[in-house]
Amino acid sequence: MIDIKSIPSPDKPADALAAVVALRLMADRLERKTVKRAIEQGWTWAQVAEALGVTRQAAHKRHAKQCLKPKDQNSVRVTHVQPA
Amino acid sequence: MFNRLKLRMQDMGTIKKLILGADAQAHRRGEDEPGAEHYLLSALELPDGSARRVFERIGVDPSGLQQAIQEQYRSALDLIGVDDNGMIDDSDPVISNQLLHQSKPSGQAVMKKLYELKKGDKDAPLIGAHVVAVIAAMEHGVAVRAFNTMGVDQRELSTAAQDEFNSGLL
């Protein structure tokens, strides 16, 4: 829980800016993990994009590679099946 | 003339290793693009070994750098009363789909300053110590805060980098 009183004072901008950078890193990691989980649970890219407030293309571009399951990666292989 | 050409080719190889290494460091830690701190980690892995020697000259074990980077994130969050809940240490590696290399602004600044530093010294090869010298001269950012966490005096580090250039070990 963030306590407003614990935010660094404006006369210590280095501390406040360091906190901003750390929060961005945490937010990125949280986004990556959560999107991966949402896709695994059957969310569509359109739903993920809407929830994140970004375009579908932006969400897909940023996260699609992380969300490829081994099964999906195999499915792009070309297989030759002999006709019966 | 031939030596200059040979040196340039060698430098291009070093730059390639440095950039690919920085990308790998960032991706391993769950970040899309490398910043100055990832260039420093990459420099420590360059085969010339000079970046490591610069740290050792001031009695600091450079293998503590990654831990110091994590620690400075935790300290920054502590200051605003946020518990990272283990998220700073728990990162899934990024699988990059970028065709072109892209660095964070701090990473771009490292490459720009590295170019300027090397422009003034065209007769010596680019080595990891150059990267340390560039980052030791920075005032702010993750790498600088990691130096503070490690107890590294940036002026001493700069002097040690200069001593490494003058040592003629390469």
Side-chain angles (χ1 to χ4, degrees):
Chain A
M1 188 71 174
I2 298 173
D3 175 2
I4 196 79
K5 286 177 193 160
S6 65
I7 288 177
S9 74
D11 60 351
K12 285 185 177 170
D15 288 347
L17 294 170
V20 171
V21 174
L23 284 170
R24 275 197 195 128
L25 181 76
M26 258 182 88
D28 276 351
R29 289 188 179 171
L30 182 61
E31 179 180 330
R32 198 166 280 129
K33 278 178 190 292
T34 312
V35 169
K36 193 177 175 193
R37 203 160 298 161
I39 294 295
E40 283 167 1
Q41 287 176 13
W43 283 48
T44 64
W45 284 107
Q47 288 171 321
V48 168
E50 192 180 353
L52 286 174
V54 298
T55 64
R56 186 189 174 283
Q57 287 82 1
H60 191 267
K61 188 181 171 192
R62 186 163 158 75
H63 298 289
K65 274 231 169 179
Q66 313 294 131
C67 299
L68 269 183
K69 294 173 204 161
K71 192 180 74 182
D72 298 332
Q73 286 167 338
N74 289 339
S75 70
V76 297
R77 285 188 196 149
V78 178
T79 51
H80 299 279
V81 180
Q82 292 293 328
Chain B
M1 178 71 183
F2 177 71
N3 281 345
R4 273 274 172 91
L5 193 66
K6 210 172 123 188
L7 208 58
R8 271 190 92 165
M9 295 293 283
Q10 190 182 330
D11 284 356
M12 280 165 69
T14 305
I15 289 168
K16 187 181 170 192
K17 278 182 197 150
L18 181 67
I19 291 174
L20 290 177
D23 272 338
Q25 290 287 350
H27 295 162
R28 205 175 299 153
R29 298 306 311 166
E31 294 180 61
D32 291 314
E33 297 168 353
E37 65 278 18
H38 302 113
Y39 278 91
L40 188 54
L41 288 165
S42 176
L44 290 170
E45 288 186 348
L46 287 177
D48 64 71
S50 64
R52 300 194 76 84
R53 285 197 298 275
V54 172
F55 279 89
E56 285 157 6
R57 278 174 186 274
I58 58 165
V60 172
D61 179 4
S63 55
L65 179 63
Q66 182 61 67
Q67 194 54 42
I69 291 169
Q70 307 299 102
E71 191 51 47
Q72 66 77 35
Y73 279 127
R74 272 191 296 272
S75 305
L77 291 171
D78 268 354
L79 282 173
I80 56 165
V82 173
D83 180 356
D84 76 292
N85 217 5
M87 206 174 279
I88 292 298
D89 291 319
D90 175 28
S91 58
D92 291 334
V94 168
I95 304 162
S96 177
N97 55 0
Q98 281 184 336
L99 293 176
L100 296 172
H101 168 80
Q102 183 78 37
S103 286
K104 286 181 189 167
S106 68
Q108 291 171 22
V110 169
M111 291 310 287
K112 195 178 164 202
K113 284 177 187 156
L114 208 50
Y115 173 74
E116 285 164 9
L117 186 69
K118 274 296 289 152
K119 228 166 68 170
D121 183 13
K122 287 182 179 164
D123 295 322
L126 175 71
I127 54 174
H130 286 109
V131 182
V132 179
V134 161
I135 298 174
M138 288 180 148
E139 283 183 70
H140 300 289
V142 172
V144 171
R145 289 193 295 274
F147 285 152
N148 292 337
T149 305
M150 294 170 89
V152 168
D153 181 317
Q154 287 176 250
R155 255 185 274 178
E156 275 185 28
L157 194 64
S158 290
T159 307
Q162 200 57 53
D163 291 346
E164 183 66 28
F165 302 148
N166 299 335
S167 68
L169 280 173
L170 286 167

